[in-house]
Amino acid sequence: MGVLSNLSPSSSPLAVLLITLTTLQLLGAESKTFWGDIEALKELKNALDPTSVSPGSCISSWDFKLDPCDNLFSDRFTCGFRCDLVDSATSRLTELSLDQAGYSGSLSSISWNLPYLQTLDLSNNFFSGSIPDSLSNLTRLTRLGLSGNSFSGSIPASIGSLSNLEELYLDSNSLHGAIPPSLNRLASLKRLELQGNQLSGELPELGSLQNLFYLDASNNVISGQIPLTLPSSLLQISMRNNSLQGTVPENIKHLGFLQVLDLSHNQLGGSVPSYLFEHPSLQQLTLSFNQFSSVQPPISLGTQSEMIALDLSNNQLKGLLPSFLPMMPKLSALTLENNKFMGMIPTQYAFKVAVPGSGVSAFERLLLGGNYLFGPIPGPLLGLKPGSANVGLADNCLYRCPRVFFFCQGGDQKSLSECRSFGPIIP
């Protein structure tokens, strides 16, 4: 800075450029990578299958003849990590984020002695083997991304010691075994993604994670019931395609910020509880492909509901179509296909599609196919034009539902004998 301050207005542009480059070189000379961090980078590179390090990838540019953090204008160490000064002379690795270049190999031999590392992201490559316990050495880690690899074995309990962790991505691997209860010690965790593995056993109690807002454990083989204690901070819960049993626990109504709940493709049963339709923030509820047999109407008739999309398809729901659903002011997508509903289609359903009224969201999607609904098509639907709404009434017991109406397409109505064997119908 002192050198630059002595420049006169008449100094040539070339002189300014030379002095600027000299200054940057001097600054770079003060920034040297801590030797232990260099060794950790070497360990990672040596652990890779050399044939998976393609030309042009980040790791192909790692040349340890040079200092990793001291090559701002070099064609070596071009990407894959970030350094920050911890004092006037030493740089430490604070981020290690590899490109999606198809790297393969095992991480089990790496010591992970990177005490200043805050982000480790190796996602969408071909790393295999177990997730090493040595990752617990990354005591400052806030983000761990191992998604989309081929990791196998169980989730190490030692991950629960990463007390600063805010984001944990272990999805889309081949992990199996139980989810370790030690994850309940990750008090700073905001996002937990475990979907797309072979994890089994019951979901552990996670009630201590009072900063967790996103939980996805879909596409596993998790069994048992939904835990009675869940973090009140949750915005989204996705546990579709598992082996969950029981019903939706009452504690869900105490999750005051919850917006999305997806429990589809499980073995849940009983009644769909009324409090889900009175929840103060729930906008999307998906309970399809379960074994629910009835729907409990809310005392408020859903008039205060925030729900936008509801999917109860492919269950064992019986009786008449719930009369309160068209009264939910924001509900615009309703799917009740492939159940055992009977009776006539209430006129309120048709009005909410065709003429919903002021301040009320129309049914942009109303799928009622695959039930035992009978009687005539409600009049307000007869004037709908194709493309105006997604309405499906196929595979019911409706009187005259020809395919000339777009909402009757997709399948014939059930035979008269099948409809009569299920219950009384209007001829």
Side-chain angles (χ1 to χ4, degrees):
M1 184 63 70
V3 175
L4 290 175
S5 64
N6 292 329
L7 290 174
S8 67
S10 61
S11 298
S12 70
L14 179 59
V16 173
L17 177 60
L18 290 173
I19 293 173
T20 302
L21 288 174
T22 302
T23 304
L24 287 172
Q25 290 173 351
L26 289 172
L27 290 173
E30 296 174 354
S31 173
K32 297 296 184 181
T33 313
F34 182 71
W35 68 269
D37 293 2
I38 297 176
E39 291 303 311
L41 288 177
K42 288 181 179 179
E43 281 187 338
L44 175 58
K45 185 172 183 178
N46 291 335
L48 301 183
D49 179 349
T51 62
S52 70
V53 182
S54 58
S57 64
C58 280
I59 292 185
S60 69
S61 73
W62 291 6
D63 183 351
F64 292 100
K65 296 175 184 176
L66 303 175
D67 187 275
C69 299
D70 192 29
N71 284 277
L72 184 61
F73 299 107
S74 172
D75 59 355
R76 295 291 180 262
F77 292 106
T78 57
C79 59
F81 63 94
R82 170 181 168 177
C83 301
D84 284 308
L85 280 173
V86 296
D87 55 46
S88 60
T90 307
S91 287
R92 303 301 300 259
L93 263 69
T94 56
E95 179 177 340
L96 183 53
S97 298
L98 297 185
D99 49 339
Q100 301 172 18
Y103 304 118
S104 63
S106 171
L107 307 182
S108 58
S109 63
I110 303 174
S111 64
W112 297 107
N113 187 21
L114 293 167
Y116 285 85
L117 199 69
Q118 298 172 19
T119 296
L120 175 61
D121 193 341
L122 310 178
S123 299
N124 299 308
N125 282 288
F126 296 101
F127 291 105
S128 59
S130 60
I131 297 174
D133 282 317
S134 54
L135 288 177
S136 61
N137 292 333
L138 305 175
T139 54
R140 284 185 171 88
L141 204 65
T142 60
R143 186 176 191 271
L144 176 58
L146 302 179
S147 307
N149 282 284
S150 300
F151 290 110
S152 57
S154 59
I155 300 173
S158 56
I159 286 183
S161 66
L162 299 174
S163 59
N164 293 304
L165 203 62
E166 297 179 2
E167 299 174 62
L168 178 58
Y169 302 90
L170 302 179
D171 54 288
S172 303
N173 281 285
S174 298
L175 300 170
H176 58 80
I179 300 171
S182 62
L183 296 188
N184 202 32
R185 301 203 304 263
L186 300 176
S188 300
L189 198 65
K190 297 178 180 178
R191 193 175 185 100
L192 177 58
E193 298 202 24
L194 304 174
Q195 68 271 23
N197 284 287
Q198 301 165 24
L199 299 171
S200 59
E202 297 186 5
L203 187 73
E205 294 289 338
L206 300 174
S208 296
L209 307 184
Q210 289 303 311
N211 292 296
L212 190 70
F213 66 83
Y214 185 96
L215 169 62
D216 195 340
S218 303
N219 301 310
N220 283 287
V221 286
I222 298 170
S223 58
Q225 299 188 0
I226 301 169
L228 296 178
T229 305
L230 290 167
S232 59
S233 54
L234 279 165
L235 299 177
Q236 179 167 338
I237 302 173
S238 297
M239 293 193 66
R240 63 184 176 276
N241 196 22
N242 278 287
S243 300
L244 296 172
Q245 298 177 333
T247 189
V248 181
E250 190 172 359
N251 67 306
I252 295 291
K253 71 181 182 182
H254 300 302
L255 307 182
F257 302 102
L258 189 65
Q259 297 178 7
V260 177
L261 178 61
D262 187 349
L263 300 174
S264 59
H265 293 267
N266 280 286
Q267 300 169 24
L268 301 170
S271 294
V272 179
S274 59
Y275 46 78
L276 293 176
F277 306 108
E278 298 179 303
H279 196 282
S281 61
L282 189 60
Q283 299 177 13
Q284 181 177 326
L285 175 61
T286 307
L287 299 177
S288 55
F289 291 92
N290 278 286
Q291 299 170 14
F292 291 104
S293 58
S294 62
V295 178
Q296 292 180 350
I299 295 175
S300 68
L301 298 180
T303 55
Q304 304 300 316
S305 174
E306 295 292 314
M307 196 172 297
I308 298 171
L310 173 63
D311 188 348
L312 300 179
S313 63
N314 295 279
N315 279 282
Q316 302 293 321
L317 298 173
K318 301 175 183 178
L320 304 178
L321 290 175
S323 59
F324 70 92
L325 291 177
M327 303 177 67
M328 297 171 68
K330 297 183 179 181
L331 189 63
S332 61
L334 176 60
T335 305
L336 300 176
E337 290 182 310
N338 301 320
N339 281 288
K340 296 180 179 179
F341 286 116
M342 60 179 298
M344 299 177 66
I345 300 174
T347 307
Q348 300 96 311
Y349 278 69
F351 274 122
K352 191 169 169 64
V353 177
V355 282
S358 177
V360 177
S361 297
F363 275 148
E364 297 177 5
R365 181 193 305 144
L366 177 61
L367 303 180
L368 303 177
N371 285 285
Y372 292 85
L373 303 173
F374 57 74
I377 299 170
L381 295 181
L382 297 177
L384 289 179
K385 296 180 179 180
S388 59
N390 181 10
V391 179
L393 304 179
D395 191 27
N396 275 290
C397 300
L398 296 170
Y399 173 67
R400 295 192 64 181
C401 193
R403 295 192 180 188
V404 65
F405 296 121
F406 73 92
F407 43 78
C408 293
Q409 298 173 9
D412 295 330
Q413 295 296 298
K414 289 181 170 69
S415 67
L416 186 60
S417 60
E418 184 180 359
C419 292
R420 283 178 170 170
S421 66
F422 184 76
I425 66 169
I426 295 177

